[in-house]
Amino acid sequence: MKKYLLVEPNFPIPAKSKNHHNFLPIGLLKLASYLRENGNKVKLVRGEADSYRLVAIKRFKPTEIWITSLFTYWARHVKVVVQYYKGVFPKATIVVGGIYASLIDKKEVKKYTGCDKVYQGVHPKAEEYEPAYDLIENNNPHPVDYQIIHASRGCKRRCSFCGTWQIEPAFIAKDTIEGEIIYRKIVFYDNNFLMNPNVEDILEELIKLKQKKEILWCESQSGFDGRLLINNKKLGSMLKQAGFRYPRIAWDGPYSEHQNISKQINTLTQAGYSAENIYVFMIYNWDIPCNEMEKKRIKCWEWRVQISDCRFRPLTQLFDNYKPRKVGQTNEDYYIHEEAGWDDDLVKQFRKNVRSQNICVRQGVDIYSRDLELKKVSPTKVKKLKKMKSRRMKINFMKKNEISYWIPEQATYRINN
Ligand code: B12
Ligand code: SF4
């Protein structure tokens, strides 16, 4: 029997998001089950231990320390825990795996973090086990009442900006997931859920469970490959019946693709999704210049769908000190795709435009005002504004009263909205 200390580095995740389904050390939980089932002892820790936990960890005396990693630009946090546990247990073997470890050259990871071994890619044996959810303490803002499932790994497409085909080079698809379901809320971490040749069988299973109220909702974290939704009414309707909420599709290509994107959205709205609950992933700070991104944003406004903006970072980027409110940041702070004309102002302005537009979509209004959002306007003026029917009247009133305003259908590059 060996003893394994499984470590999730202290990633910069706001405390309120810990254990939110976006941030659960799911890889470690699967590894924990695999190791336990094979007669080993495991202990999960998150970050460096405080003095109280350190006593317990020291008593545990691990033979190996397995550390996971996430985004490459969070490598620093991996290094910190490697160094920390190396200091506490100089004789234990320290292994680093996960996303950063898989995207960066092994030698570089070893040199930078100081670990003994690097593990790249998925761990096929661990993949056969249910994540050990019992290792997560439930006294937190997000009790684990949901589960993360992979119905497939890998993706057959090869988008240039995407790391999944390096992390998970083989496309492996399950034909059933029924036996894995233990909670009523299901989050899929598949890279391309719809590409699974057995997707209809899997959806059929979920539909039956939903009808029996054994599941409440499903979500696909990575979004759907919308190309597979075009003119596929059946698939759209199955997703809806299976309880998939907030469907996300991606529009990473040029503006000229808008007709195809519109068809994808139609499949979803015909299936019963309301436009404001549909999200379009859009990569920016990438090859498409800001003026074209603004055209894409405005198209989404016409469709009244929300945008999930994804700021591009190269797959080997090892730092990201982007600060949304700081002016004058440069490539020394975070990656700026200058080749396509992006600069710090444009990156931040585009992000702001998307945020303001999403608020308009969600609230069903056609003017965004930062002053109103920050409650800087007197209740009497707010009341007056609310009574006004036409947008022109509202704008005139806002101008006269020096209330900031922004309208979604206007491309905005340099004005602070
Ligand atoms: C889910 C997901 C998210 C979620 C949550 C991520 C999370 N878990 O915390 C959310 C929605 C928040 C997200 C956001 C983003 N994401 Co994301 N995301 C993913 C996705 C699909 C899965 C990541 C994941 O959590 N996997 C779970 C892992 C750790 O567990 P696992 O894989 O089951 O673990 C196995 C192995 O890795 C191994 N293993 C793991 N650890 C260890 C340790 C040891 C010792 C050993 C032996 C083995 C081992 O064994 C496990 C069992 O098989 C990946 C794509 C992918 N296929 O990996 C992209 C990915 C990580 N995201 C990516 C990106 C770019 C982003 C965004 C920046 C997008 C954007 N521009 O807005 C944002 C960043 C947000 C931020 N805060 O900075 C990139 C990262 C690129 C990079 N440079 O690092 C990826 C790789 C996708 C891509 N397009 O290339 N993302
Ligand atoms: S379709 Fe999605 S998961 Fe597949 S390679 Fe492209 S971006 Fe990555």
Side-chain angles (χ1 to χ4, degrees), residues 67-215:
I67 299 177
T68 196
S69 64
L70 202 52
F71 307 116
T72 55
Y73 50 86
W74 285 356
R76 185 164 62 83
H77 306 280
V78 179
K79 180 180 176 161
V80 169
V81 285
V82 170
Q83 293 301 320
Y84 175 81
Y85 286 104
K86 219 174 163 178
V88 182
F89 302 108
K91 287 192 185 136
T93 308
I94 301 192
V95 189
V96 172
I99 289 160
Y100 151 68
S102 305
L103 285 174
I104 303 289
D105 181 70
K106 271 189 179 182
K107 274 191 199 146
E108 225 179 285
V109 175
K110 240 172 142 173
K111 194 172 155 207
Y112 177 71
T113 63
C115 67
D116 301 303
K117 286 186 194 163
V118 177
Y119 185 93
Q120 295 191 312
V122 290
H123 192 291
K125 288 199 177 123
E127 286 298 304
E128 292 168 17
Y129 292 87
E130 280 289 322
Y133 292 107
D134 60 287
L135 294 177
I136 301 284
E137 308 123 9
N138 262 329
N139 56 349
N140 62 70
H142 292 283
V144 183
D145 61 351
Y146 61 88
Q147 71 182 108
I148 291 171
I149 294 191
H150 277 103
S152 65
R153 305 267 350 196
C155 172
K156 286 186 191 165
R157 299 201 197 269
R158 292 287 182 265
C159 303
S160 64
F161 50 81
C162 177
T164 57
W165 44 282
Q166 292 174 50
I167 307 167
E168 304 170 20
F171 185 68
I172 301 164
K174 294 182 187 167
D175 53 13
T176 171
I177 51 156
E178 207 170 1
E180 293 181 40
I181 292 176
I182 48 173
Y183 289 112
R184 296 179 76 207
K185 302 170 183 173
I186 319 283
V187 181
F188 287 92
Y189 265 18
D190 297 48
N191 303 304
N192 198 328
F193 181 79
L194 298 184
M195 193 168 266
N196 187 333
N198 311 309
V199 67
E200 289 192 6
D201 297 336
I202 287 176
L203 286 171
E204 202 61 67
E205 291 178 348
L206 292 168
I207 292 170
K208 283 193 187 131
L209 291 169
K210 180 89 176 49
Q211 282 164 349
K212 287 192 269 172
K213 298 198 165 46
E214 285 177 21
I215 59 169

Side-chain angles (χ1 to χ4, degrees), residues 259-319:
Q259 275 162 342
N260 273 339
I261 305 297
S262 169
K263 285 182 193 159
Q264 299 171 19
I265 293 171
N266 278 346
T267 303
L268 293 170
T269 49
Q270 279 167 9
Y273 288 101
S274 54
E276 73 271 15
N277 286 330
I278 298 173
Y279 286 76
V280 177
F281 276 119
M282 291 204 313
I283 189 167
Y284 71 110
N285 185 36
W286 187 61
D287 288 354
I288 298 177
C290 190
N291 57 350
E292 191 169 346
M293 287 308 296
E294 276 292 88
K295 279 175 76 179
K296 288 173 63 174
R297 174 184 66 73
I298 292 166
K299 215 25 157 186
C300 289
W301 169 244
E302 281 170 36
W303 296 323
R304 296 297 194 271
V305 293
Q306 297 202 55
I307 297 172
S308 266
D309 51 318
C310 297
R311 176 168 51 87
F312 172 70
R313 295 94 155 153
L315 290 171
T316 50
Q317 185 78 6
L318 291 178
F319 64 90

Side-chain angles (χ1 to χ4, degrees), residues 294 297 324-325 345-360 367-374 403-417:
E294 276 292 88
R297 174 184 66 73
R325 280 181 203 90
D345 288 352
L346 291 175
V347 168
K348 285 174 179 156
Q349 187 64 54
F350 182 72
R351 167 83 195 92
K352 269 189 193 170
N353 297 350
V354 167
R355 181 180 176 276
S356 310
Q357 174 162 311
N358 282 346
I359 291 176
C360 289
I367 305 176
Y368 165 77
S369 165
R370 186 150 175 80
D371 287 342
L372 283 175
E373 189 187 357
L374 296 180
I403 301 170
S404 71
Y405 73 92
W406 176 84
I407 48 175
E409 64 268 36
Q410 237 168 47
T412 314
Y413 301 107
R414 301 283 169 193
I415 305 162
N416 221 358
N417 48 302

